[in-house]
Amino acid sequence: MRPDILNPYFASIESLPGIGPKLARPFNRLLGRPEGARVLDLLLHLPSSTIDRRARPTIAEALPDTVVTLKLHVDRHVPTPRGARTPHRVFAHDESGDITLAWFSADGGWIERLMPVGETRYVSGTLTLYDGAAQMVHPDRVVDEAGLAKLPPIEPIYPLVEGLGQGHVRRAIEAALARAPELPEWRADGGPADTARPGFRSALERIHHPRDPVDASPAGLAWRRLAYDELLASQLTLALVRARTVHLAGRPSVGDGQLSRRIEDTLPFSLTSSQVEALKAIRADLASPHRMLRLLQGDVGSGKTVVALLASATVIEAGRQAALMAPTEILARQHMKTIEKVAATAGLRLALLTGREKGRARDAVLSALKAGEIDLIIGTHALFQEGVEFHDLALALVDEQHRFGVHQRLALAAKGEAVDVLVMTATPIPRTLVLTYFGDMDSSELREKPAGRKPIDTRTIPSDRLDEVVQRLAHALAEGRRAYWICPLVEESESSDLAAAEARFEELRHWFGDKVGLIHGKMKGAQKDAAMAAFAAGETQLLVATTVVEVGMDVPEATIIVIEHAERFGLAQLHQLRGRVGRGSEASICLLVYRRPLGEIARERLQALRSSEDGFFLAEQDLKLRGEGDVLGTRQSGFPGFRLARLDVHGALLERARAEALDIVQNDSDLMGEHGAALRILLHVFERDIAVKLLSAG
């Protein structure tokens, strides 16, 4: 149950004066709550900038293109003639000079009442020069002496949507602040010095009523306080999940190594030192009395699937089962294809379960799984659906973890008793984001590539030379080589000029006929399988695709990849796409096709990709260049999944929040007592519902 003190925060915005159903609709859009925004959403809608009205110069002293507040004597009006497009102008002066004020498409009578001739008015807005003379177009504020006393010297500016003005948002926030009580302090010692007091509600008050522009900026003390609270809520959630999944008693799985040795003997290569180290850590976790919760990061082509298979072998040797869950059917089937090659030789009983398995085939798999006749099952989220029962699940392997939530991870782990969990990602993740998303896990990294892999020749080429790319491809295909052509969109849309996969497919078929195949996310599963199988078999030599091939496509014979509109992709995603080639012994090439003119960040991104094949280095560069969680496939600025915390400003707070969260859970894992009750309020405020449910479940 949510504590009663939070009821004013979680009340509908329609409970605020002045907001009825009609005005609530644009507010719901603005606050990202189509089902109905709450007072809390409004209070956490923080300013994007401020207007500083403290500058009170004379007209002569005012700097052009700055916001100033001028004390003016109103001289005369020049209304807009009927039907003319000229503005309504007001001429005014002070002791230092003259100024013209202009309003376009405005009610002349309203302006005359706003600025009566012969009166003194205080006018605030951006002063500009027009033919050397001072002017102000559409002043922000026009007030008399009494209004000036009420005019805030620093005024916050908020992001808006159609149907809302700054006045709507400011008035609503005023009403929300009047309703919101101060909350109990959840920071035992006030937190780090640079994020300490004010309290939660006081911090909101300071941001929405700034005394200085810095008060309403991410670098200000109040914003840092709220960002730290949000990071603490996140890290506390991860720590509570870990406390209830890892530090609970596990079931040690110790194998005899026979199956692992048979698998290794069938591999056409030796394990890298990174793989050996990762397996050593994983097997130690599996043998321990605590549950494993480990992150395995592998760069493109580093062999994390092999590590997953050998980890599975350890629990299978102990007479138990393993499950490998992938986010897409393509990736699940690719894992199946990769593992099948060694499974038969090693005597491993394997099965596949996705949404496509239906009827008798699905029933047969479920029956065998329950009877213990399947050692390792590979699938999508279908694995944790109702009706899926294991004989004895010991190890849950979750691939591309960032595409699943904590809920899904726990749902799969709940299919067995004291299940060990290994989550994997083929996208190397910077340290900051590892803490953000995986703060509750131990971590292993695979940084080496298997022996024999050759460097990929990465080149950039402008899109106006696309005919040269097609000519190069013609020679390559004539030699029997295979290539990918990556497009950002599936079909042309009126709002986008990006190349579309279907249009490009038709164009390339004009040149190369039946040698060209097509695959994209809107195709049915069977169509995708057919397109991939034809390409893998060499029946088609050029596969036009969207980013659906970013992970999961493994065709060693493919040695060329053309990435169209490369400037529109994130660096980590470009690295993933490039990793579709260079998987065999032949030299490979990656052509990054970009549209001119190239922006500075896009230029740096493409240059970084040309200079390095180290995914861990590129992930860090991507984070610096984009300032967002693009490495995890998210689009919003700041920390992915956070409303207030900004990576570039608050990144250093994450380590502190994690340390505080671990300390809290170590000393009071049930969040009891006065301080525990305050922390539960924190979890409710930032809607970390899974942590609250875990506490409720005990």
Side-chain angles (χ1 to χ4, degrees), residues 62-84:
L63 296 173
D65 302 314
T66 61
V67 175
V68 294
T69 301
L70 303 172
K71 181 181 180 181
L72 300 177
H73 182 82
V74 182
D75 296 325
R76 63 191 175 96
H77 288 250
V78 180
T80 305
R82 185 180 296 276

Side-chain angles (χ1 to χ4, degrees), residues 173-469:
I173 286 174
E174 283 302 307
L177 282 170
R179 295 273 184 92
E182 186 60 272
L183 300 177
E185 181 55 66
W186 42 70
R187 310 258 287 284
D189 60 354
D194 60 346
T195 66
R197 303 290 190 267
F200 177 77
R201 191 227 174 262
S202 301
L204 290 169
E205 176 87 35
R206 174 73 64 87
I207 292 170
H208 293 302
H209 293 150
R211 300 170 202 161
D212 187 277
V214 75
D215 289 341
S217 78
L221 193 66
W223 197 314
R224 288 176 67 82
R225 150 90 211 207
L226 296 179
Y228 185 83
D229 287 342
E230 185 174 31
L231 294 172
L232 178 60
S234 168
Q235 292 300 308
L236 186 54
T237 301
L238 291 170
L240 287 166
V241 169
R242 183 182 180 86
R244 279 157 172 72
T245 56
V246 179
H247 293 151
L248 294 174
R251 291 176 63 201
S253 295
V254 182
D256 58 14
Q258 288 190 35
L259 180 57
S260 298
R261 281 191 291 275
R262 287 204 300 272
I263 291 170
E264 286 194 50
D265 289 343
T266 64
L267 296 175
F269 50 81
S270 300
L271 297 181
T272 65
S273 59
S274 289
Q275 288 173 315
V276 171
E277 281 301 308
L279 277 166
K280 185 178 174 183
I282 290 165
R283 285 170 175 151
D285 285 350
L286 292 172
S288 87
H290 298 300
R291 292 193 201 176
M292 174 174 76
L293 189 50
R294 180 172 288 274
L295 168 67
L296 177 66
Q297 292 193 71
D299 201 351
V300 175
S302 61
K304 70 185 170 60
T305 307
V306 170
V307 173
L309 177 58
L310 288 167
S312 301
T314 299
V315 302
I316 294 164
E317 288 163 1
R320 304 175 70 193
Q321 294 168 298
L324 171 53
M325 182 168 70
T328 66
E329 196 174 302
I330 282 185
L331 189 50
R333 291 182 183 278
Q334 183 62 55
H335 281 315
M336 184 72 177
K337 181 184 168 188
T338 303
I339 291 171
E340 261 180 337
K341 297 172 185 175
V342 295
T345 310
L348 192 68
R349 297 173 298 177
L350 207 59
L352 181 71
L353 185 66
T354 70
R356 209 191 311 172
E357 277 66 50
K358 291 191 169 52
R360 289 182 181 176
R362 177 183 166 85
D363 291 343
V365 170
L366 294 181
S367 177
L369 190 65
K370 187 175 180 180
E373 294 161 8
I374 293 170
D375 299 317
L376 170 62
I377 189 159
I378 299 167
T380 57
H381 59 277
L383 290 175
F384 61 77
Q385 302 302 312
E386 198 173 336
V388 178
E389 295 180 52
F390 289 80
H391 177 68
D392 186 7
L393 179 63
L395 175 62
L397 302 140
V398 183
D399 199 14
E400 297 303 317
Q401 153 72 13
H402 60 273
R403 301 194 189 185
F404 294 105
V406 178
H407 293 273
Q408 285 95 336
R409 190 173 86 205
L410 292 176
L412 181 58
K415 290 289 182 181
E417 183 187 341
V419 173
D420 288 309
V421 179
L422 179 68
V423 302
M424 305 183 290
T425 173
T427 306
I429 305 168
R431 166 73 177 161
T432 315
L433 294 183
V434 168
L435 286 179
T436 306
Y437 271 87
F438 312 99
D440 55 335
M441 301 183 195
D442 298 311
S443 181
S444 296
E445 295 178 355
L446 303 180
R447 287 181 172 260
E448 302 156 272
K449 292 187 180 180
R453 292 278 176 97
K454 292 186 178 178
I456 300 169
D457 182 7
T458 304
R459 304 179 190 181
T460 55
I461 187 166
S463 56
D464 51 29
R465 292 170 55 194
L466 210 57
D467 55 337
E468 294 177 35
V469 175

Side-chain angles (χ1 to χ4, degrees), residues 496-510:
S496 173
D497 61 354
L498 297 194
E502 288 176 342
R504 188 61 72 205
F505 168 69
E506 292 299 335
E507 196 171 317
L508 291 169
R509 270 174 65 90
H510 174 74

